[in-house]
Amino acid sequence: MAGNSRPIDARGWIFEVQDLEAEAETWLPIAGLNTFTYNPSENEETTETVAFESEGAYEEDVMQRGASIALAGQYRVDKTTNAQDPGQAYIDNVWANLVGIDSHNPVRWRHRSQTSWVVWDATMTPGEQGGGNNDKTSWAATIRRNGWATTAAVTP
């Protein structure tokens, strides 16, 4: 069966942010993305455990695990209303203004071929926006996991 395995398309990944201001559970897809970078070792911390009995060989223990996802693409608006994409707008106008314990927000992501979401309690750093004469305006954010990831079934 290994001969039947194929790589998956990067464009098949879906990223959503939970709107904590909504009365009912509401997940907002983040539109306009054209690249992402998942870093499963972001904020990892190790401690050296070398002792005389290590006989000169390096040894360590991982003391902390972390992860991040950097999202980037194009700033998107509705062509009829000119309103920014709801997922991007929530990140830019709600989440980006929160500090302390309020700076935490759930995010979830998966590939369209998967049957469960990866869910993070996360903090976020907004990315730069810009562009040149013949460019589309860029949009970006970096999301960092807090605690351990959980999963949730994909429901219609």
Side-chain angles (χ1 to χ4, degrees), residues 41 44-51 54 56-65:
S41 61
E44 181 178 276
E45 294 289 339
T46 62
T47 190
E48 184 178 312
T49 58
V50 175
S54 302
Y58 178 78
E59 295 178 2
E60 73 176 19
D61 287 343
V62 175
M63 302 304 291
Q64 172 180 296
R65 299 278 187 194

Side-chain angles (χ1 to χ4, degrees), residues 6-83:
R6 299 285 304 153
I8 58 176
D9 295 338
R11 72 173 58 102
W13 289 94
I14 304 162
F15 300 90
E16 296 183 346
V17 59
Q18 187 174 5
D19 181 349
L20 295 179
E21 294 184 329
E23 291 191 26
E25 183 176 330
T26 303
W27 289 92
L28 304 170
I30 304 167
L33 300 177
N34 56 30
T35 186
F36 77 96
T37 303
Y38 169 60
N39 181 349
S41 61
E42 178 81 10
N43 295 317
E44 181 178 276
E45 294 289 339
T46 62
T47 190
E48 184 178 312
T49 58
V50 175
F52 292 157
E53 57 269 15
S54 302
E55 298 180 356
Y58 178 78
E59 295 178 2
E60 73 176 19
D61 287 343
V62 175
M63 302 304 291
Q64 172 180 296
R65 299 278 187 194
S68 69
I69 299 175
L71 304 174
Q74 299 167 340
Y75 186 101
R76 290 291 172 108
V77 298
D78 181 287
K79 64 183 181 181
T80 304
T81 66
N82 287 326

Side-chain angles (χ1 to χ4, degrees), residues 71-75 92 125-131 136-142:
L71 304 174
Q74 299 167 340
Y75 186 101
D92 289 351
T125 300
E128 296 179 349
Q129 296 177 2
K136 297 294 185 180
T137 302
S138 63
W139 183 91
T142 300

